[in-house]
Amino acid sequence: DENKIKNTMGCGKSSAAGAATPSGKPSVVFVLGGPGSGKGTQCAKIVDEFKYAHLSTGDLLREESKKGGELGDKLKKTMEAGELVSSAMLVELLKKAMKDRGWEKSKFLLDGFPRNQENIDEWEKQIGKEADIKFILHIDVSKDVMKERLLKRGEESGRADDNEETILKRFETFEKESLPIIQFYEKKKLVRKVDSSKPVDEVYAEV
Ligand code: ADP
Ligand code: C5P
Ligand code: MG
């Protein structure tokens, strides 16, 4: 497994995120962090200032689930349970979204991905060396703050998973499946962690 993760990082650690990829491959920053930590908020600010395409896998899944049908219903149920959807379909969606935005020479912020080992394996299978992963941006804040933010967001988001019961399940999933992924990348010195407990603009200054 260690090698599998390592293989997704086929890039020079020293290259700047903003630099064009000489290979013409898209360059990718994975934006990770717990639910409600502020990933989407910070990505939006990065996009305002820099030429990145922002893709939130959660947003892609919500869009897909709205289409209904068997797949849509299944996605909806999984998301309402605070669990992770199957990776093959998710990475297919993600790759298609990346292609739609323009594949070559693009810079992507992939928000909320990868969330577990299966996500990484599937990335490797479907994308692998076709993209250069630059680093992982970890938006970090305590569970108490995340919960407060999610409950507040839930007042207006219309998201079926921004309720207390699902929030707790999402935290469980995050701790069990996603934190180990961040910790692994940390050991590889590929994580740039930002304290997200401060006001949005202060967090962004650090980002
Ligand atoms: P994520 O994409 O990680 O789930 P969001 O960016 O949607 O998180 O943020 C969750 C909620 O918290 C949103 O309502 C957002 O406006 C709010 N929020 C994000 N960052 C901050 C911050 N630094 N301080 C206060 N509220 C924030
Ligand atoms: O990132 P976001 O909080 O928008 O994700 C919402 C939900 O989408 C997650 O709780 C999970 O059910 C699903 N998801 C997933 N796999 C990902 C990203 C999101 O299953 N990589
Ligand atoms: Mg988000």
Side-chain angles (χ1 to χ4, degrees):
D1 283 352
E2 295 229 337
N3 281 331
K4 271 184 207 155
I5 297 179
K6 210 159 115 193
N7 286 342
T8 65
M9 317 303 297
C11 60
K13 275 184 214 167
S14 59
S15 44
T21 311
S23 54
K25 292 179 186 180
S27 76
V28 169
V29 175
F30 289 146
V31 183
L32 301 179
S37 57
K39 300 181 294 296
T41 303
Q42 294 301 324
C43 285
K45 295 188 77 72
I46 295 169
V47 168
D48 280 347
E49 189 173 351
F50 302 100
K51 282 184 180 160
Y52 272 90
H54 170 214
L55 291 172
S56 153
T57 44
D59 286 347
L60 291 176
L61 290 168
R62 276 183 288 278
E63 232 168 79
E64 198 61 25
S65 78
K66 275 187 206 143
K67 293 179 187 165
E70 208 178 310
L71 174 64
D73 291 347
K74 199 176 158 198
L75 292 177
K76 195 160 168 269
K77 271 190 196 135
T78 307
M79 291 166 86
E80 279 179 19
E83 291 165 4
L84 298 176
V85 311
S86 88
S87 303
M89 180 272 317
L90 173 61
V91 175
E92 237 172 79
L93 269 182
L94 183 57
K95 190 171 186 180
K96 187 179 177 302
M98 288 171 75
K99 293 221 152 136
D100 287 349
R101 296 286 191 102
W103 182 263
E104 281 193 10
K105 291 175 194 159
S106 294
K107 297 189 296 180
F108 291 98
L109 293 169
L110 299 190
D111 160 359
F113 182 93
R115 286 267 240 284
N116 62 8
Q117 182 60 47
E118 195 191 66
N119 278 183
I120 291 177
D121 293 345
E122 202 57 47
W123 171 276
E124 182 59 22
K125 202 164 136 192
Q126 294 192 40
I127 297 170
K129 291 193 173 64
E130 288 178 62
D132 283 339
I133 294 159
K134 294 299 178 188
F135 62 89
I136 284 80
L137 177 61
H138 179 193
I139 308 294
D140 183 49
V141 73
S142 71
K143 262 201 286 191
D144 285 347
V145 173
M146 291 194 282
K147 188 175 168 191
E148 203 181 290
R149 287 182 185 171
L150 287 172
L151 288 173
K152 193 164 165 226
R153 187 176 75 183
E155 290 168 14
E156 295 187 345
S157 68
R159 277 178 59 163
D161 58 352
D162 279 347
N163 62 77
E164 181 138 18
E165 194 191 341
T166 310
I167 288 168
L168 295 181
K169 287 183 187 158
R170 290 159 73 196
F171 286 163
E172 255 177 58
T173 303
F174 175 68
E175 280 171 1
K176 203 170 115 212
E177 302 193 51
S178 309
L179 257 187
I181 300 301
I182 297 175
Q183 286 162 351
F184 179 84
Y185 287 137
E186 249 165 19
K187 285 191 202 130
K188 300 284 170 201
K189 309 255 183 270
L190 288 163
V191 176
R192 302 183 189 180
K193 180 155 89 175
V194 169
D195 173 9
S196 182
S197 66
K198 292 172 280 181
V200 171
D201 287 338
E202 285 179 44
V203 177
Y204 183 62
E206 209 184 318
V207 165

